[in-house]
């Protein structure tokens, strides 16, 4: 079994409930070691029985203990330089941790996958219809939408590589990174934190819309924006499917392997979600097999 196949098997691990993990090892500690190796961690997570032997309600780095039974967001900043190693040692469980004490803020971090197309596809339709009403011909309409989708794929790659995988070590740097993307690497199977919260997406849409209006014409701007937003919807729904779907055909199955490889084997490569295009262009395509391993 090569690295890709090994990573793909992680998606079928039985989820751990928070109650079972707490009760089975309520006093166990997981020590974050600078000498920990990715291959060793990956091997652990492919054996569901071994997870119970290493996962407890608390994780230790230096002199600070992260208590998984308490809200995490304002704890992780205390990990300092050890945060990067801690956050990239995943816990394979469909039940994610609590982030905030406040029920209001906690609710904003949890999103059902179907909320993304339900909320944003009407906005896509409205944007495209604006260009149509202003007289944009069909060939140019399709072209503008295609450009919007294409630009989104580059944004998808760039945000993932340069923002979501930025190295942090300060309290607030770690805290913000955990909210943006670190939580997804720590709990990659948390089904309610796989898609981007609509409130956050709405805030980001405002400057993007203004930028598109500045760079394009009044008739093409809505179609460009609608195309880019459609690309985002496709990305978020695809991302959820890659974690929780069970594809049977070759293309989506390979894409699932490709993405889980990013989570469980080589986390500093393979930044594309909907395709590997920009990884190929910018040289971040991961090797198909682990170094030194043979089939």
């Amino acid at each position: 079994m090569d690295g890709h196949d090994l990573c793909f098997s992680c998606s079928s691990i039985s989820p751990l409930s928070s109650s079972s993990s707490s009760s089975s090892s309520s006093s166990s500690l997981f020590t974050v070691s600078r000498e920990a190796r990715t291959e060793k961690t990956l091997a652990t997570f492919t054996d569901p029985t071994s997870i119970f032997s290493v996962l407890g309600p608390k994780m230790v780095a230096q002199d600070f203990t992260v208590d998984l039974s308490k809200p995490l967001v304002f704890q992780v900043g205390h990990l300092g330089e050890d945060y990067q190693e801690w956050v990239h040692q995943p816990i394979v469980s469909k039940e994610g941790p609590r982030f905030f004490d406040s029920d209001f803020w906690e609710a904003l971090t949890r999103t059902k996958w179907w909320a993304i197309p339900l909320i944003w596809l009407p906005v896509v339709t409205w944007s495209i219809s604006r260009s149509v009403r202003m007289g944009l011909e069909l060939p140019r309409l399709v072209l503008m939408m295609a450009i919007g989708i294409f630009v989104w794929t580059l944004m998808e790659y760039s945000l993932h590589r340069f923002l979501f995988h930025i190295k942090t070590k300060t309290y607030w740097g770690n805290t913000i990174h955990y909210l943006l993307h670190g939580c997804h690497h720590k709990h990659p199977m948390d089904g309610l934190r796989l898609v981007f919260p609509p409130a956050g997406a709405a805030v980001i849409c405002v400057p993007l819309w203004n930028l598109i209006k500045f760079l394009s014409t009044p008739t093409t701007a809505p179609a460009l924006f609608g195309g880019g937003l459609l690309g985002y919807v496709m990305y978020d729904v695809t991302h959820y499917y890659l974690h929780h779907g069970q594809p049977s055909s070759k293309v989506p199955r390979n894409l699932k392997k490709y993405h889980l490889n990013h989570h469980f084997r080589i986390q500093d490569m393979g930044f594309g979600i909907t395709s590997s295009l920009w990884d190929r262009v910018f040289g971040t395509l991961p090797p198909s097999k682990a170094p030194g391993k043979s089939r």
Side-chain angles (χ1 to χ4, degrees):
M1 179 182 291
D2 64 22
H4 275 35
D5 293 330
L6 193 58
C7 293
F8 186 71
S9 68
C10 293
S11 65
S12 61
I13 295 178
S14 300
L16 305 180
S17 67
S18 56
S19 61
S20 63
S21 61
S22 298
S23 61
S24 64
S25 53
S26 59
S27 62
S28 63
L29 298 179
F30 183 88
T31 303
V32 177
S33 168
R34 295 181 186 275
E35 290 76 25
R37 292 292 180 264
T38 302
E39 291 296 329
K40 182 177 180 181
T41 302
L42 178 58
T44 297
F45 288 115
T46 57
D47 178 7
T49 60
S50 67
I51 296 176
F52 288 97
S53 66
V54 298
L55 294 183
K58 297 181 179 180
M59 293 186 175
V60 177
Q62 294 181 344
D63 297 324
F64 182 78
T65 300
V66 176
D67 191 340
L68 299 179
S69 67
K70 297 179 180 179
L72 288 186
V73 166
F74 295 119
Q75 294 188 65
V76 299
H78 295 292
L79 292 173
E81 293 182 353
D82 285 330
Y83 166 77
Q84 289 296 324
E85 186 171 3
W86 175 83
V87 83
H88 289 106
Q89 295 181 11
I91 297 175
V92 183
S93 171
K94 288 185 179 180
E95 295 186 14
R98 188 172 179 91
F99 276 18
F100 296 100
D101 283 313
S102 165
D103 290 338
F104 172 77
W105 293 111
E106 181 71 10
L108 290 180
T109 71
R110 297 173 180 267
T111 308
K112 296 283 190 180
W113 73 267
W114 45 260
I116 302 304
L118 184 67
I119 293 171
W120 294 116
L121 285 183
V123 181
V124 170
T125 303
W126 176 79
S127 296
I128 295 170
S129 66
R130 283 193 63 189
S131 285
V132 172
R133 289 196 302 270
M134 287 187 285
L136 189 65
E137 305 88 353
L138 182 61
R140 292 191 66 201
L141 177 71
V142 174
L143 177 62
M144 292 301 105
M145 290 180 60
I147 291 174
I149 293 173
F150 181 76
V151 170
W152 164 258
T153 64
L154 181 57
M155 287 181 59
E156 167 195 316
Y157 173 88
S158 301
L159 288 170
H160 192 186
R161 179 179 178 182
F162 298 110
L163 178 61
F164 294 167
H165 279 265
I166 192 173
K167 303 297 182 184
T168 60
K169 61 181 180 181
T170 65
Y171 176 84
W172 286 110
N174 292 347
T175 301
I176 293 171
H177 179 268
Y178 183 79
L179 276 171
L180 279 176
H181 193 62
C183 60
H184 179 51
H185 271 265
K186 191 63 184 177
H187 298 269
M189 304 307 291
D190 182 351
L192 292 178
R193 294 193 176 100
L194 266 170
V195 297
F196 201 72
V203 171
I204 295 173
C205 278
V206 174
L208 284 178
W209 166 243
N210 288 324
L211 177 63
I212 292 172
K213 284 198 302 181
F214 176 75
L215 295 175
S216 59
T217 66
T219 56
T220 59
L224 281 168
F225 180 77
L229 192 57
L230 179 59
Y232 158 70
V233 172
M234 293 164 61
Y235 149 79
D236 239 355
V237 173
T238 299
H239 188 204
Y240 184 90
Y241 180 72
L242 295 183
H243 280 265
H244 290 285
Q246 297 299 328
S248 56
S249 56
K250 183 177 179 180
V251 172
R253 184 176 175 86
N254 286 341
L255 198 58
K256 180 182 178 80
K257 290 181 182 180
Y258 186 79
H259 184 58
L260 294 186
N261 182 63
H262 169 75
H263 275 283
F264 294 100
R265 188 165 70 87
I266 306 178
Q267 299 183 3
D268 57 355
M269 301 185 81
F271 299 105
I273 307 297
T274 53
S275 81
S276 60
L277 169 64
W278 297 110
D279 285 308
R280 296 176 186 277
V281 171
F282 294 113
T284 53
L285 190 72
S288 59
K289 294 184 179 182
K293 299 287 185 180
S294 60
R295 199 171 180 85

